[in-house]
Amino acid sequence: MPIATLQLNGSSFELPLIVGSEEEVGIDITKLRAMTGAIVYDPGYGNTGSCESSITFINGEEGILRYRGYPIEQLAQQSDFVEVCYLIIYGKLPTKEEYEAFRTKLTRHTMIHEDMKKFFEGYPRSGHPMAVMSSMATSLSAFYPEVDDPEEIDLNIIRLLAKFKTIAAFSYKKSIGQPYIYPRNDLSYTADFLHMMFAVPAEPYEISDVVARALDLLLILHADHEQNCSTSTVRMVGSSQANLFASVGAGVCALWGPLHGGANQAVIEMLEMIHADGDNFQKYIDMAKDKDSGFRLMGFGHRVYKNFDPRASILKKSAAEVLEAMGQQDPLLHLARRLEEIALHDEFFVSRKLYPNVDFYSGILYRAMGIPVDMFTVMFALGRLPGWIAQWKEMRSDPSTRINRPRQIYTGATERDYVPMERR
Ligand code: CMC
C-alpha cells in the first residue's frame, strides 16, 4: 500500500495514501493524533479533504467540472435542470420513464402548506429573500418530520426540490406586495418558476422560451460544486444527524455571504457603481490591487479554479446570446467584458491566477430576465439545491461518516486564578 512518511520530533510515522478515481492523492491522517499527539493546521481547509464523494469532479488547474463524470459543457448544452437534478441525486442519467416519473413528482409537490403562507406575512417587505429562504427551508421540517425509511426520505427530497421554487417566488411576491401566484402543473420546472414570479392575476403572462432556457442553463451550471462553503455546511450540520430541511436551511445561510453565492448580487452592484462613476475601470482595478482599500473585484478569483472557471466561460457566451435574442442591450455586459479584459492583462491578477468566476456574468443574465438584484442569491440557492441534497444523502449513507468536529490550536491565556471583582 502506498504511504507517506512524516518525521516529527525525531520519530518517523507512516501514513497511508488514498487515491481517487481521477488520481487525486490524499494523505490519510485519520490516525494522526492517536499516533503522534499532533493535529494538522489548515485554516480555510484549503488542503483538507473532508470526505470521499462520487458526485462532482473539479480540476481547477485545467478548468474541468463534471457531474457524475459528465462534462458541464455537455450537460449545459444538451440536458435540462430536472434531468441534472436526477443525475446528481441518484447518480445516473434517467431513462425516459424515470425522467417522466421524476418530473411528475416534482410538479405534484409544488404547493406549500397554506399555514406556511402565513409565515410570509410576518416578514417585513424589505427583508432580504435569503433570510426568508433559510428559515422557510428549515420550517419545512415542522411540516414533514424526519423519517428513517428510505422511501420517506426520498419523498422529503422531492418535497424540498418542488417547494423551494414556490417559496422563492412567494418571497419575491411578498417583497413587492403582489398576491402569491400558485404553481401550475402543466408547466416545466423553470417555466413554472417564472410564472409564479412574474404572472399577475389581472392579465395573462407569456413565458418566453429564451428566458426559460436561459434559466435552465443557469440552474444547471450551479447544481453542484463539490465541497464548497455551503455544501460543507450542509454536510457539517447533517453530520450531527440533523434532518435534510434543517441542513439545507443552514446551507442557504452559508451561501448568502458575498464571498460565496452573495457575490452575484455584489457583482451587479459593483458594475452599477463603476458605470455610475463614468465607467472608470482603472480606478476600481487599482482599488482592488490596494489591500488597504478593502475593495475586491467581485466575481473574480476562486479557491479551486486557477486557470478559468468553465461555468463563467459558458455564461459569458450565453449572456451575449440571450441579450441579443431578447433584443436587449445592457451597458453592464460591455463593462464586464472590458473589466475582464483589463484584469486578465494586469500582473496583479495574472500572478494570483484570478479569473472571472460563475458569478461574474450570471447577474447580467438574471437582470435580462427581470429578476431583481436581491433575488440573485436565491437563484443560486435554487440551482445548488440538488447538490446540497445529493451531498447530504451521500453523507448519510456513508458508514464512515462521523460527526464533524474539527480541533484547534489554542492560543489563549494559560491557567490563571480568578480575581474577585472588588480586587480587580
Ligand atoms: N480581487 C482582488 N484581489 C483578490 C481577489 C479579488 N476578487 N480574490 C483574491 N484576491 C487576492 C487576495 O488579496 C490574495 O492576494 P495576496 O496573495 O497578495 O494576499 C490572493 O488573491 C488570494 O486570495 P485569497 O482570498 O487568499 O483566496 P481564497 O481562495 O481564500 O478566496 C475567493 C477565494 C473566491 C473568496 C476570493 O477570490 C474572493 O474574495 N473573490 C471575490 C468574491 C467572489 O467572487 N466570490 C465568488 C466565488 S465563486 C462562486 C462560489 O463558489 O460561491
Side-chain angles (χ1 to χ4, degrees):
M1 186 171 46
I3 52 157
T5 307
L6 171 74
Q7 301 284 344
L8 185 70
N9 295 333
S11 301
S12 172
F13 301 95
E14 291 190 339
L15 299 165
L17 296 186
I18 176 163
V19 182
S21 52
E22 292 282 349
E23 307 301 325
E24 286 177 307
V25 178
I27 302 169
D28 179 351
I29 57 155
T30 44
K31 301 272 186 298
L32 182 74
R33 193 169 172 279
M35 275 193 318
T36 68
I39 59 168
V40 289
Y41 177 64
D42 186 20
Y45 309 124
N47 306 286
T48 299
S50 58
C51 61
E52 288 183 64
S53 178
S54 60
I55 301 169
T56 290
F57 173 69
I58 302 176
N59 178 327
E61 278 67 38
E62 292 177 30
I64 293 172
L65 169 61
R66 296 185 202 128
Y67 301 154
R68 303 281 187 187
Y70 298 101
I72 191 66
E73 293 79 5
Q74 292 181 18
L75 294 170
Q77 204 174 23
Q78 298 171 53
S79 186
D80 66 26
F81 182 60
V82 169
E83 187 181 36
V84 167
C85 285
Y86 188 99
L87 170 69
I88 289 182
I89 295 170
Y90 301 110
K92 69 179 200 74
L93 287 171
T95 61
K96 200 168 183 316
E97 291 71 34
E98 286 165 338
Y99 176 89
E100 279 311 323
F102 182 60
R103 200 183 63 81
T104 304
K105 278 196 269 182
L106 287 189
T107 50
R108 294 278 158 80
H109 287 276
T110 43
M111 276 196 284
I112 57 169
H113 197 289
E114 284 292 299
D115 286 348
M116 274 194 98
K117 254 177 56 189
K118 297 189 191 117
F119 298 174
F120 288 97
E121 286 161 26
Y123 294 108
R125 265 180 64 177
S126 58
H128 197 285
M130 284 297 273
V132 178
M133 292 310 293
S134 63
S135 47
M136 284 294 198
T138 308
S139 297
L140 283 169
S141 55
F143 292 84
Y144 309 103
E146 180 163 71
V147 276
D148 273 339
D149 173 38
E151 269 185 39
E152 288 287 318
I153 292 178
D154 199 53
L155 182 56
N156 275 354
I157 287 175
I158 297 286
R159 284 175 174 140
L160 180 55
L161 274 172
K163 295 179 198 307
F164 203 75
K165 73 180 195 311
T166 311
I167 295 171
F170 280 21
S171 75
Y172 171 60
K173 288 297 198 194
K174 158 78 193 187
S175 73
I176 54 170
Q178 282 187 3
Y180 306 120
I181 300 293
Y182 280 62
R184 264 177 48 190
N185 286 0
D186 60 319
L187 295 176
S188 72
Y189 189 92
T190 42
D192 189 31
F193 174 71
L194 291 168
H195 151 81
M196 287 190 283
M197 282 284 289
F198 299 120
V200 284
E203 54 191 54
Y205 169 70
E206 204 173 307
I207 298 153
S208 149
D209 284 348
V210 177
V211 173
R213 178 59 205 150
L215 181 56
D216 238 318
L217 174 75
L218 278 156
L219 298 182
I220 290 170
L221 295 181
H222 286 86
D224 193 48
H225 215 232
E226 51 118 305
Q227 307 313 316
N228 56 82
C229 176
S230 56
T231 302
S232 297
T233 300
V234 170
R235 279 186 178 256
M236 170 74 89
V237 174
S239 78
S240 74
Q241 300 191 351
N243 67 67
L244 173 69
F245 303 115
S247 305
V248 166
V252 174
C253 292
L255 186 76
W256 192 356
L259 297 189
H260 191 11
N264 56 16
Q265 172 167 350
V267 169
I268 287 295
E269 286 165 354
M270 175 188 77
L271 292 175
E272 279 170 345
M273 183 170 71
I274 301 176
H275 191 49
D277 198 8
D279 287 350
N280 190 351
F281 316 100
Q282 201 54 50
K283 174 177 161 190
Y284 291 90
I285 296 266
D286 291 344
M287 265 166 67
K289 286 156 59 172
D290 174 8
K291 297 279 165 63
D292 296 332
S293 72
F295 177 80
R296 282 193 164 199
L297 212 50
M298 299 313 286
F300 256 74
H302 198 275
R303 173 64 61 80
V304 181
Y305 294 119
K306 299 296 171 197
N307 184 339
F308 66 95
D309 179 340
R311 304 166 300 173
S313 310
I314 296 170
L315 283 180
K316 181 181 179 182
K317 191 161 164 272
S318 167
E321 286 168 1
V322 169
L323 285 179
E324 198 186 320
M326 293 175 76
Q328 284 189 23
Q329 286 201 337
D330 188 342
L332 296 195
L333 178 60
H334 175 67
L335 179 59
R337 283 187 184 138
R338 286 281 295 130
L339 206 56
E340 176 185 354
E341 210 175 281
I342 295 173
L344 292 186
H345 288 93
D346 190 297
E347 200 277 331
F348 177 92
F349 293 90
V350 175
S351 62
R352 287 169 182 77
K353 299 186 188 317
L354 301 172
Y355 298 87
N357 58 50
V358 68
D359 293 317
F360 197 64
Y361 286 103
S362 61
I364 290 170
L365 272 164
Y366 293 136
R367 252 163 76 98
M369 292 170 181
I371 291 171
V373 176
D374 257 11
M375 284 291 290
F376 286 7
T377 313
V378 172
M379 303 308 294
F380 193 148
L382 194 57
R384 185 54 51 86
L385 188 58
W388 289 333
I389 292 171
Q391 301 267 356
W392 181 90
K393 192 167 174 262
E394 184 179 67
M395 185 246 341
R396 288 295 281 263
S397 58
D398 180 350
S400 69
T401 296
R402 301 170 75 199
I403 186 165
N404 288 4
R405 202 305 185 186
R407 295 259 175 181
Q408 64 168 11
I409 303 288
Y410 176 67
T411 58
T414 51
E415 187 178 352
R416 48 184 167 171
D417 285 328
Y418 174 77
V419 181
M421 213 176 285
E422 60 276 14
R423 284 206 276 122
R424 270 178 236 159

